[in-house]
Amino acid sequence: MTNVDILFRYSGQPSEPELFALANAREVYGIRRLSFDRAASTLLVEYDATRLNAATVTQLVRRSGLQLIEELPVLPPPPAEAAPVAAPKA
């Protein structure tokens, strides 16, 4: 099993029918977890990459009626490297 996360930004607030449809998507073999962050308007989907691929997961979420805006990177970008500190002059 290879767990993969995919993060989506959505518009608006999910309606009750959309939430029920997403709950049914949870029943698809390979979908492991769905997590909403309502403050950030994001949905994190954990799935088994040996069973599903990102395109299939995206299609399942879109079929629920949830209006997806974009797919976001799951990991934040690495911090910019700091400039090296100059050695003190003697």
Side-chain angles (χ1 to χ4, degrees):
M1 178 183 323
T2 304
N3 288 335
V4 177
D5 292 336
I6 189 168
L7 184 65
F8 300 105
R9 183 182 322 277
Y10 60 87
S11 65
Q13 289 300 317
S15 66
E16 190 172 334
E18 291 167 347
L19 292 174
F20 280 125
L22 285 168
N24 288 334
R26 171 76 172 69
E27 300 300 319
V28 172
Y29 190 67
I31 299 290
R32 310 245 319 130
R33 183 171 51 110
L34 299 167
S35 301
F36 277 96
D37 181 344
R38 291 181 189 250
S41 295
T42 59
L43 170 65
L44 180 70
V45 181
E46 180 184 326
Y47 67 96
D48 180 358
T50 62
R51 304 280 179 206
L52 302 169
N53 60 35
T56 303
V57 172
T58 302
Q59 184 180 18
L60 284 169
V61 173
R62 285 191 190 279
R63 273 197 224 157
S64 73
L66 191 65
Q67 297 300 312
L68 299 181
I69 297 173
E70 63 183 332
E71 182 181 333
L72 300 170
V74 176
L75 299 176
E81 290 186 30
V85 177
K89 295 182 181 179

